[in-house]
Amino acid sequence: MASSDPIKKVCLVGANGTVGSVITRKLLEVGCFHVSVLRRSSSSSASPTGVTEISVSPALELQELTEALSGQDAVVAAIPLRDVSEHLRLVEAAFNARVRRYIPADYGSCDAASPQAQHHLKLYRDKTAVRVRCEQLAQKADEDPTGAGPFTWTSIICGHFFDYGLASGLLHFNLDTETAQILDAGDIKASASTLGRVGESVVRVLQRHEATRNRAVYVQSFCPTQLEILASLERATGHKWHAQYLDSNAFLERQSQRLEAGDAEAIEEIVFVLGTVDADWTRKGGYAMDLLGLEDENLDQVIRDVVATHKAKAQD
C-alpha cells in the first residue's frame, strides 16, 4: 500500500472514555472508516455500535498488541496516561504491526513539550516520552532502506476540554453557585476545545494524513480569556456571577506542595492553571486550524448549551 493511499482501517484504544467515546462517534459519522476498538478481555464495558471488537489480555503485552493491530492503517490512543510503559508498548506494537499513523493520547490542557508543564507534572514528562518514541520510530522507518515499516505519527494538542471542564467545574466556573475563580487579571487568552472538536480533529488528521505526518498539530474551538468566558456565562444565565481573583503563581505553588505531600487531587488543579496561563495556540508554529479545514466555534452557543444541559440535569 502506498503512503498516499487513504487511511481506512482505524483502531481506537479507549473507546468508552470521556474523549474516546466522542472520537469513536466522529469516526463513525463520516462513514469512510472501518472502526475497530481494542478492548481488554477483563472490561465490562460494552463496545459502541458499529465497531469491530479486538479483545486482548488486560496486561497489553507487546507481542499480543502487535498481532491485534496487524492490518490496521491507523491507531488512535484515547486512554488516560497513567502508566507510560503501557503507552510506549502501544507505540512499539503499532510500529511492529506496520501501522501507518499513530495518534498518541496527547490532547488536553497544555502542550506537554512546555518546560513549565514538564517541571510541574510527571504526566507531561510521560506524554513527551511517548512523543519522543514516536519520533524515533518514524525516523527509523524513514531511514530503513528495506522499507521495514511505514510508521508515522501525529500529536493533537487541543487545550482544555472546554464543555466537559465547564460542566464538571474543572475550569473553576461553578454552575450551581454561579461563582468563578479567575487567575491574575483574567485577561490571558487560552485555546480550548469541545470534545466534539477533538473528535473532528482526529478525523481531519486521518483524512489529511500526508499533510499531518510526523508533527504536532494545535487546534481549538476558540481562544477566550477567563473574563470573556465569565461574561458569556452571565449572558447565558441572566445573572451576575461572583468572581474571586487568584494569583496564578501562588495558586500553582500551593497545589505543587499538595502534590508533593501525596494529594493526587492537586494534579487536576495544576492542569487547570497550566491550561489557562500557557495555552494560546494561535501563537504556535504548529497552529493547524487552516491545515485541517476547521473554524472556531461560537463561544456563546457552546456555553448556552452547557448551561441548558446542566439545568435539565438539575431538574431531573
Side-chain angles (χ1 to χ4, degrees), residues 34-107:
H34 179 277
V35 182
S36 300
V37 297
L38 198 70
R39 183 174 181 272
R40 286 182 171 91
S41 57
S42 59
S43 174
S44 59
S45 301
S47 294
T49 303
V51 305
T52 300
E53 275 191 10
I54 303 174
S55 182
V56 292
S57 63
L60 298 183
E61 295 294 344
L62 179 60
Q63 183 58 42
E64 185 182 16
L65 284 173
T66 300
E67 294 172 0
L69 298 179
S70 179
Q72 299 294 328
D73 295 323
V75 173
V76 180
I79 52 175
L81 208 154
R82 298 190 181 99
D83 179 357
V84 67
S85 66
E86 186 175 84
H87 287 256
L88 290 170
R89 286 199 302 276
L90 276 171
V91 177
E92 297 282 348
F95 175 82
N96 293 342
R98 300 182 60 81
V99 168
R100 294 163 55 200
R101 178 58 48 89
Y102 186 84
I103 298 179
D106 247 337
Y107 310 117

Side-chain angles (χ1 to χ4, degrees), residues 4-17:
S4 59
D5 288 346
I7 284 177
K8 295 181 179 179
K9 299 183 71 175
V10 182
C11 181
L12 190 75
V13 186
N16 289 308

Side-chain angles (χ1 to χ4, degrees), residues 17 31 40 43 51 83 90 168 244 255 260 282 311 313:
R40 286 182 171 91
S43 174
V51 305
D83 179 357
L90 276 171
S168 64
Q244 177 189 10
Q255 301 310 317
E260 288 177 6
T282 65
K311 286 182 178 178
K313 287 182 178 179

Side-chain angles (χ1 to χ4, degrees), residues 18-19 22-23 25-26 29 161-164 193-203 221 294 297:
T18 298
V19 67
V22 179
I23 292 173
R25 187 176 74 244
K26 292 294 184 180
E29 282 177 355
F161 296 150
F162 185 80
D163 46 351
Y164 173 79
S193 297
T194 61
L195 292 175
R197 174 49 46 88
V198 180
E200 290 171 348
S201 299
V202 170
V203 168
S221 289
L294 296 170
E297 298 184 68

Side-chain angles (χ1 to χ4, degrees), residues 3 11 31 34 36 38 44 53 92 109 112 122 131-132 153 177 183 205 209 212 231 237 241 247 255 295-296 316:
S3 63
C11 181
H34 179 277
S36 300
L38 198 70
S44 59
E53 275 191 10
E92 297 282 348
S109 298
K122 181 178 182 294
R131 195 188 301 185
V132 167
W153 63 276
T177 61
L183 297 177
V205 163
H209 61 93
T212 58
T237 59
W241 282 43
D247 179 276
Q255 301 310 317
E295 296 182 353
D296 278 2
D316 286 345

Side-chain angles (χ1 to χ4, degrees), residues 7-297:
I7 284 177
K8 295 181 179 179
K9 299 183 71 175
V10 182
C11 181
L12 190 75
V13 186
N16 289 308
T18 298
V19 67
S21 58
V22 179
I23 292 173
T24 304
R25 187 176 74 244
K26 292 294 184 180
L27 288 170
L28 292 170
E29 282 177 355
V30 294
C32 61
F33 300 114
H34 179 277
V35 182
S36 300
V37 297
L38 198 70
R39 183 174 181 272
R40 286 182 171 91
S41 57
S42 59
S43 174
S44 59
S45 301
S47 294
T49 303
V51 305
T52 300
E53 275 191 10
I54 303 174
S55 182
V56 292
S57 63
L60 298 183
E61 295 294 344
L62 179 60
Q63 183 58 42
E64 185 182 16
L65 284 173
T66 300
E67 294 172 0
L69 298 179
S70 179
Q72 299 294 328
D73 295 323
V75 173
V76 180
I79 52 175
L81 208 154
R82 298 190 181 99
D83 179 357
V84 67
S85 66
E86 186 175 84
H87 287 256
L88 290 170
R89 286 199 302 276
L90 276 171
V91 177
E92 297 282 348
F95 175 82
N96 293 342
R98 300 182 60 81
V99 168
R100 294 163 55 200
R101 178 58 48 89
Y102 186 84
I103 298 179
D106 247 337
Y107 310 117
S109 298
C110 65
D111 183 3
S114 160
Q116 185 181 31
Q118 292 192 18
H119 170 74
H120 284 286
L121 285 180
K122 181 178 182 294
L123 168 66
Y124 296 116
R125 297 192 292 274
D126 286 346
K127 284 188 175 185
T128 299
V130 174
R131 195 188 301 185
V132 167
R133 191 60 184 141
C134 287
E135 292 172 342
Q136 291 170 341
L137 291 173
Q139 183 175 0
K140 183 177 180 180
D142 281 342
E143 294 175 349
D144 192 331
T146 66
F151 180 88
T152 60
W153 63 276
T154 309
S155 281
I156 299 172
I157 321 296
C158 64
H160 281 314
F161 296 150
F162 185 80
D163 46 351
Y164 173 79
L166 186 60
S168 64
L170 290 173
L171 299 186
H172 287 233
F173 294 97
N174 190 311
L175 295 173
D176 291 322
T177 61
E178 296 185 346
T179 58
Q181 290 186 319
I182 305 296
L183 297 177
D184 303 323
D187 58 354
I188 301 171
K189 286 188 171 293
S191 298
S193 297
T194 61
L195 292 175
R197 174 49 46 88
V198 180
E200 290 171 348
S201 299
V202 170
V203 168
R204 299 296 177 92
V205 163
L206 296 177
Q207 291 175 329
R208 294 162 168 78
H209 61 93
E210 280 296 304
T212 58
R213 70 191 307 272
N214 298 339
R215 58 173 292 184
V217 295
Y218 296 81
V219 300
Q220 65 180 35
S221 289
F222 23 64
C223 189
T225 67
Q226 282 188 294
L227 290 182
E228 288 170 340
I229 297 170
L230 179 60
S232 183
L233 281 164
E234 290 178 341
R235 289 191 292 271
T237 59
H239 301 135
K240 182 71 174 177
W241 282 43
H242 174 73
Q244 177 189 10
Y245 288 81
L246 305 172
D247 179 276
S248 62
N249 290 325
F251 185 87
L252 194 55
E253 180 61 28
R254 288 196 301 273
Q255 301 310 317
S256 295
Q257 290 173 358
R258 283 180 61 198
L259 184 59
E260 288 177 6
D263 187 348
E265 291 184 5
I267 293 175
E268 292 289 0
E269 302 287 23
I270 294 172
V271 168
F272 155 66
V273 177
L274 296 177
T276 302
V277 304
D278 186 25
D280 183 351
W281 302 157
T282 65
R283 301 174 180 270
K284 286 279 191 179
Y287 186 58
M289 295 291 284
D290 288 343
L291 176 68
L292 297 179
L294 296 170
E295 296 182 353
D296 278 2
E297 298 184 68

